[in-house]
Amino acid sequence: MSEPTTHDGIVREVLAALEDQGVEAADILMCMFYAAITSFRRGTLCHPFPPEFIVDGANQYDRVEAMLRDLPNMVSLRDMLRDTTLPSNRIDDDTLRLVRWIITMRDARLRLVNMDELSHATKVNFPSSSESSTSTSRPSSRRSKPPSWVPQYAFEIRYADETGPFFQLRASHNTHIAFHGSPFENWWSILHRGLQVQFQKETNIFGDGIYFSDDPQVAHSFVQQNSVWNGSVLGGRLGCIGGCEILTLNQL
């Protein structure tokens, strides 16, 4: 599919991406990318990187960071692009292309979920917005006690192609949700490239490998918050844990 060359075409694609992901999911993607690009480890963490901002093999980190720093929040951006009475050049095409690239996941999409859905998927009693909730979607049995912290937002990731080895094995094996905590600046890479053994710390207590826990409280102890994109409405500093579907196998 060819890239749009006109300003109006780029605007339509950004609005379509915001509609598809939702403004909250677009916001968290912007935050993850910004945390990665402002890290002192950005050469390792900021993958993938927008190809339009690679010149002579060098990533234009500082230019991209400056472009993101001046952006409005996703709700304001959406409303601004929808309003045809505003000047069409209020946000330049390069910035719009950058936003579109960040919030358009090529092989998956994020979906904002509520605490009832999160509790049902993980079998952990995460507090809902209303403690008196009697939703039948909340599980009757729990694997662990409620964590001492309350998630503000939860997102589900859905992959467009579910025909790979994991999904083939899932069809004939049991799975369960286990939790992984990591500094927020790592999550752009994790979301797009998965958990990478080569990025593990050298001080892992139990040796090489990717660490998970059935208890989100344990995973939360490995979370480090990072400052994020100025335009975020999710917060000025964010942390993240991942609830990962794990295959239950006797041997690999």
Side-chain angles (χ1 to χ4, degrees):
M1 182 181 294
S2 61
E3 295 290 319
T5 57
T6 66
H7 179 80
D8 288 345
I10 298 169
V11 167
R12 284 193 296 270
E13 287 216 345
V14 172
L15 287 173
L18 285 169
E19 181 68 25
D20 180 58
Q21 293 281 22
V23 292
E24 296 90 352
D27 194 317
I28 196 69
L29 289 169
M30 294 287 288
C31 288
M32 288 178 175
F33 183 80
Y34 190 80
I37 203 172
T38 54
S39 169
F40 74 93
R41 297 189 297 128
R42 63 188 183 182
T44 299
L45 300 178
C46 212
H47 290 281
F49 192 83
E52 291 188 31
F53 299 91
I54 302 175
V55 178
D56 296 329
N59 295 354
Q60 296 183 304
Y61 295 114
D62 294 337
R63 180 189 174 200
V64 169
E65 179 185 344
M67 292 166 72
L68 295 179
R69 197 163 47 233
D70 296 333
L71 270 175
N73 65 63
M74 290 291 99
V75 174
S76 297
L77 177 65
R78 180 194 62 192
D79 294 345
M80 187 185 305
L81 296 178
R82 283 176 174 173
D83 190 345
T84 57
T85 66
L86 294 174
S88 61
N89 61 349
R90 186 163 180 175
I91 299 179
D92 66 86
D93 289 356
D94 283 347
T95 301
L96 289 176
R97 288 191 183 95
L98 175 62
V99 171
R100 179 193 61 194
W101 185 87
I102 293 172
I103 68 176
T104 304
M105 298 186 67
R106 281 76 186 157
D107 302 316
R109 69 184 302 272
L110 293 181
R111 182 178 74 90
L112 181 70
V113 299
N114 60 41
M115 292 302 109
D116 285 342
E117 292 176 285
L118 180 63
S119 294
H120 182 76
T122 62
K123 305 298 187 290
V124 174
N125 188 12
F126 290 97
S128 66
S129 57
S130 171
E131 290 300 329
S132 61
S133 171
T134 58
S135 170
T136 57
S137 67
R138 295 175 71 83
S140 58
S141 61
R142 310 291 185 214
R143 292 186 310 169
S144 64
K145 64 182 180 181
S148 60
W149 48 274
V150 179
Q152 291 180 290
Y153 301 93
F155 297 90
E156 176 189 50
I157 184 169
R158 289 280 186 177
Y159 293 95
D161 182 7
E162 297 192 353
T163 60
F166 173 84
F167 298 102
Q168 294 174 17
L169 287 168
R170 188 175 68 173
S172 56
H173 293 81
N174 293 326
T175 66
H176 69 282
I177 300 296
F179 299 92
H180 179 81
S182 189
F184 189 77
E185 64 183 17
N186 292 347
W187 282 97
W188 175 260
S189 175
I190 291 172
L191 189 64
H192 289 84
R193 299 197 293 168
L195 293 162
Q196 303 286 317
V197 175
Q198 64 265 33
F199 296 148
Q200 67 178 348
K201 294 181 178 179
E202 296 180 357
T203 55
N204 284 339
I205 298 174
F206 300 108
D208 294 345
I210 304 297
Y211 285 49
F212 299 91
S213 174
D214 286 337
D215 187 348
Q217 190 69 41
V218 174
H220 188 261
S221 66
F222 293 91
V223 169
Q224 295 178 23
Q225 293 187 343
N226 292 107
S227 297
V228 297
W229 166 58
N230 292 338
S232 177
V233 298
L234 304 182
R237 292 179 62 83
L238 296 179
C240 179
I241 68 170
C244 307
E245 188 175 14
I246 306 296
L247 286 167
T248 304
L249 302 175
N250 292 329
Q251 61 182 18
L252 294 176

